[in-house]
Structure formats: structure tokens, C-alpha cells
Amino acid sequence: MMVSHYNQFLVVMSFIVAILAAYTALNMAGRISISSTKAARLWLFGGSLSMGIGIWAMHFIGMLAMEMPFTLSYDLPITGVSMLIALGASLFALWLVSRSRLSRVSLLAGATVMGCGIAAMHYTGMAAMHIQPGIRWNLWWVALSVVIAFSASVAALWLTFRLRQLTSSQAALLRIGAAIIMGIAIAGMHYTGMMAADFPHGSHATERGVDSNWLAILVTVVTLSILGITLLVSLFDARLQARTSLLASSLAEANRELAQLALHDTLTRLPNRVLLEDRLAQAVSKAQQENSGFALMYMDLDGFKAVNDAWGHDTGDRLLIAVTERLTQHLKGQYTLARIGGDEFVLLAETAAPDDAASLASSLVQTIAEPFTISPCEAMVTLSIGIALWPHDGETPRELMFNADAAMYHTKHNGRNGYHFFQPSMNALAQTQLQLMNDLWQAEARNELRLLYQPKFQAPSGPAIGFEALLRWQHPQRGLLTPDIFLPLAEKTGVIVSIGNWVLNEACRQLSEWRDAGHTDWSMAVNLSAVQFEQPALIDNVVDCLSRHRIPPDMLILEVTETTAMSDPDESVRLLTELTTLGVKASIDDFGTGYSSLLYLKRLPASELKIDRAFVNELRADGEDATIVSAIIALARTLNLRVVAEGVETPEQQTFLTELGCHTLQGYLLGKPLDPQAIANIIENEQQRLIDPVQAPEKSFSIQPGAE
């Protein structure tokens, strides 16, 4: 027998190629299992090609590692067949491990096919040698190589199937370890098969071959390149897929958050109006199919605005959250509690009878009536509920909502802190309010807004030193409406901002007209609503009106209620400071009715305090109101503020307020609110009386100093 030797470098290279081929198989199986159908097919065929070439190259390099006394050559067609066998075995193996499950029978059958394929590839490759006489085979070694091929196939298929979907760093280490084991097994099968070959003495090549060292280097480089490119593409695709998965996960999370924001209230996390309408439509559909019923409760907090104004929006928000928690604690069964804006909630509840709805509404009213401890205050609010029952009070979601809202307003108008079921008569009031709201949107465009001017007098009886602009609405059907009727609607809808700007501009225009007529010492007081006071464009609007109508800034007095000024004291100080820097005067209206902080009151750059009419109405020398008014005037004197008293209707009030130290008086006793034409007529009559004292025209107020 001819003795052969092995090139150790090529032997090591064959092991490296075998391990890389095994790792490629493990990696490709993972790509196939997590890819879509089309991409999985590409990875299956591409992976089979790389894996097959790797296994075949390991076999071929192992054969070239054998050093013979002569230079070997190989039959190309037979060598090509051995490569095709390796490719076929690789394709079958990857297809088998990419299936959803691998039973024991499938594993053994697949290992048999793959083991036979590897053995066939090896011995077909050996048969490609051009050598005479032919190789003699040791059947025991051949049988051992086939057993090793089968065992290696079992291990390779099982490991590949188990590790195919693992993506953690620990899984990467497991794959490397598995690849080493599989590579050693494949190489071990090859060299066992080589041991089975017996080359008789005198064997020689029948054809001259190329240098096996250069051929081995060429095959090694090409194979490593193919395996390396395949692994790089796989790793790049895995990185790209991981990034895509991360982006998809982030997008899904963003979509969930957007859905949450779109369908839920951001403060209380309750369903919003959009989700409520969907749930209500589902409830109607379900009730129609099952011939059942449900109740819709429209709920509004009584006294919430006062808490919000007195303690600020942050306290108001925390109160809404506390109310939500208290409501949900008392709700059981199938229900939807939604917040649809401000302090309005809607409850959709499955109830068997009106009595159940009444019992639920009563318990909710009672639980909200308990005080809320919201630092820094203890807040008291109550709940007004309107109940509409399906199908008695409406067959459509919109009709149910409208009627429940009407029932809630009925509760509001009848003492609050309770509940009422909807009655058809309630629609009249609701429809009136709705029509009034629609008309209000068009009032300014239709030129229906009016300003009356109530004179303000230097105590005790004159002369007139200015006017306060009072808003009225000349409704085409309902006549002249006072602010208490329509201003709450204006604030609720937001149209109060546009109306407030109109009032400011019109008052300045009228003052400019009076100044042109010679009354340059008159001032104009304009009330600012809470919503208007919070507008960023307030300063610009004031400056624009003063400039357009050529009004000296100190002739304009902006009245802000005490509650509005104290809702956000720091911002109020900033705004009023900016206004007074321009020269505009600031007045704290309705003083004594809110929750003033003396610290902030001292910082407010106001020029006057206005005593609310509630203290003037019952003013007596020995009454509590007199004590309060005396304290207010003393406080104003200490802070160097002028004092205006409104609502003066009797000579006794006039005298007493003057003695206490009020600087300015305003009320029906001295002068009622009048339109500009009536004021012009009085001015003309006053001037005529000075010319002809015999005439005594009817007097509403005097513009002359000391006039009776």
C-alpha cells in the first residue's frame, strides 16, 4: 500500500471551511424561519448554494491536503456531480429545518437522506480521481464514515431546528458552539472516509494535473469568499430587519399612543366625545337586537368654575381627576364614563328599569357632595345630572345626548345638586338656549351689539368724571338683553373674545368722539372678561385701539374682577404691569367677593378698587356691610388706591359712602346707563340751562361741578 501524507495547513483550512459552512447553515435556517414567503425562498436557495459549496469545498480541500508521490488530476463531470449532490443535500436539509415542526420520524428520515447525500458526495468526489490502478476500499472504514455522516446529520438537523429562531447574544454563542461541533463532525466523516481508501504500490495518475497547492488555495479563497459574503448579507439583513422591527414596534407604540390621545381625555384618561359616540352607537345597535334598554346620564359639576377661578387651573385639574376616581369607584357592570369637555361628564350605563337609573344617579350625586381635599384647599362641588332612557327619550345617539343635556340644564335651573329624567317640556328651554347661542355667533356681524354708558361721579354728587361701558344685545326677537343672559353662553362658546375686542374698540371710539366735542377730562372704563384677560393679543389690541382713536392711555380704565386677577396672580401682575407701563389704568372690580391674597394685591399695579354692589345694597351705619366697606376703604387708602362704589341708589348710601372716604360713586341715584344719543341730549340741555336759567329740563345727571 502506498503511504500518503497530509498537508497540515490544508487540513486546518478544511476544518475552518466545515465550521463556516455549518454556521452558514444555522444562520440561513434562522433567516428562512423569520422571513416572508418570497424572501424565505430566496434565503432557502441562496443558503443552500452557500452551504453546499462550503461542504463540497471542505471535502475537496481535504482531498487536496493528501500529498501523493505524483500530482493528481480530477474528472470534471464527476467532480461537478459531487458538488450537485452537496447542493441537493443542503437544499433538503434547510427545507426540512424551516418547517413549523420537526418530529422524531422526520428527523431520522431527514438525517438518513442528508447522511447518504454527504457520503455520496464524498465517494463520488473520490471516484473523480484519475489514478491507476483503482482505489481499494476498506468496507469497515466506509461503514464507519457513513455512520458518522448519519450521526452528524442528526445532530446538525436537530441543532439547526432548535437554534433557528433565537436572536439573543446567548443564542449567538450557542450557534458558534453548534457550528464547531457540526464542522468537526463533517470533517471527521471526510477523513474517516479517506482512511477507507487504499492506494496500491505503483499507483500513478493517468493524466497530468495542476499543482494541488495552488488549486487548494484557489478553492479555499473562493469558498471563504462565498461563505463570507453570504454571512455578511445575512448579518446585514438581520440588522436591517431588527431595525425595521424596532421601527415597526415604535410605530405601533406611537399608533397606540395616538389612538389613546384621539379617543381618550388627556387629563382623566376617560373616553372622550369621539369614543363615547362610538360606544353609544354600539349600545343602540345592541339594544335594538336584544330588545333591552340603557340610560344616558349627562353630568355637570356645580361650583367647579369658582374653584378653578379662585385656586387656579392646576387645582381645578386635580379636582377633575379626584372626581373621576370617585365616580368610577361607584360604577359596576357594563358602563362607559366619558369626559366631553370642561367639567362635563357623560355616563352610558346598562340599566333594567328607570328605578335603577334613579338609584345610580342618586348615589353619584351623594358621593360627589362629599368635600374634596385638594391641597391647598378643601373644595366643595356638587353634581347635576340629566337622564335620558332608550328608547323612550330618543332613538338615535344624537337625540339621546340632546335630551339628556336638556334634563341636566333643568336640574341646574331647579337648585342643582340632583338629577331629573328627561321630559318633552324641557326641550323648549334647551332649544331656546341653543338658538340663542347660534344667534350670538352672528350678533356682531348683524350689528346687534350695543353699548350703554353709566356715568361715574366724583363723590358726593359730581361732576361726572367718566363712564363705564356696559354691553347690551339688541336681539331681533327678544329685544334688549342684559349680559347675564348671554355672556355665560359667550364664554362657553369662545365668542366672548371677539365680543370683548368689539367692546374695547367701540368704547374707545365713543370716548374719542366725546373728546373731540371738548370733554377731554372724561375717562372710559371697560370690563375685561376672564377669557379675554388670558388672550396673548390683549396688549396689542389695547395699543391698537388707543392709537387708532387717539386716546391718551390714562383716560382708559380696564376693569378686571378680583377672581380673574387672583386665578393666576403672577401672570396678572405681569399683564397689568405691562398695561400700566403704557399709561393705562387698572381697576380691581367686584372687590370683596373673591379670594384675594394681600401679598399679591400689594403687587398688582392697580389705580383703584371697585366695591361690589352686594355690599352697597344693604349698607347701614350699624350693619356688617358697613364694617366690610370701611375695611376695604382703609385698605385702599393704605395702598394709595382710589375707591369706586357701584350700585348707589339712595341718598343715605351716597352720604355714608362719601363720609367713609369713597372717591367715586356710581349708581341709579346719580345716573342710569344711557346710550350716546341720550347723553348728547343731556349735555345739550345742560348747556342750554347755563345760557337760559329759567328753563328747567328733565335731569338725569349733571356734568357741571357742584350742580344739584
Side-chain angles (χ1 to χ4, degrees):
M1 181 181 73
M2 186 177 295
V3 178
S4 59
H5 302 280
Y6 285 91
N7 185 315
Q8 293 182 359
F9 173 76
L10 292 181
V11 171
V12 172
M13 290 305 301
S14 68
F15 272 90
I16 292 175
V17 170
I19 292 171
L20 279 175
Y23 188 80
T24 301
L26 291 170
N27 196 277
M28 291 302 101
R31 306 306 312 140
I32 295 168
S33 65
I34 63 175
S35 300
S36 61
T37 304
K38 186 176 181 180
R41 290 197 190 100
L42 293 175
W43 284 117
L44 176 62
F45 288 106
S48 301
L49 180 64
S50 298
M51 177 183 169
I53 291 176
I55 294 175
W56 176 84
M58 174 268 146
H59 152 77
F60 197 72
I61 294 169
M63 290 175 59
L64 293 175
M66 185 175 60
E67 295 179 342
M68 303 291 288
F70 50 86
T71 303
L72 290 171
S73 62
Y74 298 90
D75 184 279
L76 290 179
I78 297 177
T79 301
V81 170
S82 70
M83 179 182 285
L84 292 176
I85 292 173
L87 293 174
S90 299
L91 178 63
F92 171 78
L94 286 179
W95 170 80
L96 186 65
V97 297
S98 64
R99 298 170 66 185
S100 59
R101 58 187 300 269
L102 183 64
S103 65
R104 183 176 301 177
V105 174
S106 298
L107 175 63
L108 294 177
T112 301
V113 173
M114 185 177 175
C116 291
I118 293 175
M121 181 249 342
H122 172 78
Y123 290 108
T124 302
M126 294 289 289
M129 289 181 176
H130 288 151
I131 188 171
Q132 288 292 339
I135 301 173
R136 292 196 297 255
W137 298 98
N138 186 319
L139 296 180
W140 290 106
W141 285 107
V142 171
L144 180 60
S145 69
V146 172
V147 171
I148 293 175
F150 174 79
S151 301
S153 299
V154 171
L157 291 175
W158 186 84
L159 288 171
T160 304
F161 182 79
R162 291 297 177 188
L163 300 178
R164 61 179 183 166
Q165 289 184 330
L166 299 182
T167 57
S168 64
S169 57
Q170 184 180 7
L173 294 176
L174 290 174
R175 280 181 177 168
I176 293 174
I180 293 174
I181 295 172
M182 291 165 60
I184 292 174
I186 294 171
M189 176 270 157
H190 168 79
Y191 288 106
T192 302
M194 294 293 288
M195 290 289 294
D198 182 10
F199 297 94
H201 284 286
S203 297
H204 62 278
T206 58
E207 295 182 14
R208 181 174 179 80
V210 298
D211 189 334
S212 61
N213 291 329
W214 286 106
L215 184 59
I217 292 173
L218 177 63
V219 171
T220 301
V221 170
V222 171
T223 303
L224 290 177
S225 299
I226 292 174
L227 292 174
I229 291 172
T230 302
L231 288 174
L232 285 175
V233 171
S234 175
L235 291 173
F236 178 77
D237 181 74
R239 177 74 60 89
L240 185 63
Q241 194 167 49
R243 190 158 190 156
T244 303
S245 177
L246 179 62
L247 290 174
S249 176
S250 300
L251 182 61
E253 181 63 25
N255 286 334
R256 284 192 293 271
E257 291 180 2
L258 287 174
Q260 175 74 18
L261 292 173
L263 300 176
H264 292 80
D265 173 53
T266 55
L267 177 65
T268 63
R269 301 298 180 184
L270 293 176
N272 61 10
R273 185 183 293 272
V274 176
L275 184 54
L276 172 66
E277 290 175 352
D278 179 70
R279 297 270 180 88
L280 185 53
Q282 293 180 25
V284 170
S285 177
K286 179 182 178 182
Q288 289 173 338
Q289 294 175 1
E290 299 179 359
N291 194 26
S292 58
F294 62 87
L296 187 71
M297 301 186 186
Y298 206 111
M299 302 181 286
D300 186 88
L301 293 178
D302 311 316
F304 173 75
K305 186 177 184 302
V307 175
N308 213 23
D309 291 343
W311 298 102
H313 294 289
D314 180 62
T315 300
D317 289 346
R318 286 187 284 128
L319 175 59
L320 288 173
I321 294 173
V323 167
T324 300
E325 293 174 351
R326 196 176 286 185
L327 288 174
T328 52
Q329 288 174 358
H330 285 74
L331 295 174
K332 295 179 177 59
Q334 295 292 326
Y335 70 88
T336 295
L337 178 64
R339 179 184 177 222
I340 61 174
D343 57 349
E344 294 182 336
F345 297 82
V346 173
L347 174 63
L348 174 62
E350 291 187 357
T351 56
D355 290 344
D356 296 333
S359 177
L360 176 59
S362 178
S363 66
L364 293 177
V365 169
Q366 292 175 13
T367 191
I368 297 301
E370 297 294 326
F372 289 86
T373 303
I374 308 292
S375 178
C377 68
E378 186 176 68
M380 287 289 296
V381 292
T382 56
L383 195 63
S384 293
I385 302 179
I387 307 173
L389 300 175
W390 191 91
H392 308 289
D393 301 327
E395 297 184 353
T396 66
R398 184 172 182 177
E399 190 177 0
L400 283 168
M401 284 284 288
F402 186 84
N403 290 340
D405 190 20
M408 184 273 292
Y409 272 107
H410 183 78
T411 304
K412 287 273 191 184
H413 287 289
N414 284 271
R416 307 185 175 191
N417 192 28
Y419 66 90
H420 283 88
F421 285 91
F422 171 76
Q423 298 295 332
S425 59
M426 297 176 183
N427 260 336
L429 176 60
Q431 290 174 354
T432 299
Q433 292 291 97
L434 181 61
Q435 185 60 50
L436 198 62
M437 192 180 300
N438 292 336
D439 293 343
L440 187 58
W441 280 103
Q442 306 175 62
E444 183 180 345
R446 292 175 176 175
N447 197 29
E448 295 171 357
L449 298 179
R450 303 284 186 269
L451 282 185
L452 300 183
Y453 301 91
Q454 186 170 28
K456 299 166 66 177
F457 295 88
Q458 180 177 315
S461 57
I465 59 174
F467 292 84
E468 179 182 359
L470 302 176
L471 179 63
R472 300 292 186 267
W473 178 14
Q474 188 65 52
H475 192 276
Q477 284 82 39
R478 303 180 62 178
L480 193 66
L481 301 180
T482 54
D484 58 303
I485 296 176
F486 62 87
L487 278 189
L489 294 176
E491 291 183 346
K492 186 175 183 179
T493 58
V495 73
I496 186 66
V497 175
S498 175
I499 292 176
N501 292 336
W502 179 89
V503 170
L504 180 63
N505 181 73
E506 177 62 18
C508 288
R509 186 202 63 77
Q510 183 59 57
L511 181 60
S512 176
E513 186 176 305
W514 285 333
R515 290 179 61 80
D516 291 342
H519 304 288
T520 58
D521 56 342
W522 284 356
S523 64
M524 179 65 74
V526 177
N527 292 279
L528 295 180
S529 70
V531 177
Q532 189 181 10
F533 188 65
E534 295 171 354
Q535 295 303 304
L538 174 63
I539 303 295
D540 293 337
N541 289 337
V542 172
V543 172
D544 180 63
C545 286
L546 293 174
S547 175
R548 184 187 310 123
H549 301 294
R550 307 181 310 280
I551 303 296
D554 61 340
M555 291 292 101
L556 177 63
I557 303 173
L558 296 179
E559 295 188 358
V560 181
T561 65
E562 179 187 10
T563 300
T564 299
M566 290 297 108
S567 64
D568 188 350
D570 291 325
E571 181 65 11
S572 298
V573 169
R574 186 192 68 80
L575 278 174
L576 293 179
T577 300
E578 193 168 345
L579 286 169
T580 53
T581 301
L582 296 173
V584 177
K585 294 180 179 179
S587 175
I588 306 301
D589 195 10
D590 297 343
F591 189 79
T593 61
Y595 302 89
S596 289
S597 165
L598 296 182
L599 176 63
Y600 280 105
L601 183 63
K602 182 180 70 174
R603 290 175 54 196
L604 287 175
S607 60
E608 67 179 33
L609 294 182
K610 196 169 186 180
I611 302 174
D612 187 73
R613 66 177 66 247
F615 298 115
V616 177
N617 287 342
E618 304 295 331
L619 191 62
R620 298 189 307 274
D622 57 348
E624 293 180 352
D625 289 340
T627 304
I628 295 174
V629 171
S630 299
I632 293 174
I633 294 173
L635 175 63
R637 187 179 294 114
T638 302
L639 297 176
N640 198 28
L641 300 176
R642 294 182 59 84
V643 180
V644 179
E646 62 179 352
V648 180
E649 297 182 356
T650 66
E652 291 77 12
Q653 294 170 349
Q654 178 186 23
T655 302
F656 190 65
L657 289 168
T658 302
E659 292 175 350
L660 287 176
C662 278
H663 302 91
T664 306
L665 303 180
Q666 179 181 348
Y668 278 25
L669 175 68
L670 302 169
K672 296 180 180 180
L674 300 170
D675 60 45
Q677 184 57 50
I679 294 174
N681 292 338
I682 292 174
I683 294 172
E684 183 179 351
N685 290 338
E686 284 286 335
Q687 292 172 344
Q688 183 64 35
R689 186 169 67 87
L690 292 175
I691 296 172
D692 186 2
V694 176
Q695 295 185 9
E698 180 182 352
K699 183 184 74 168
S700 177
F701 67 87
S702 173
I703 63 170
Q704 300 300 325
E708 293 297 331

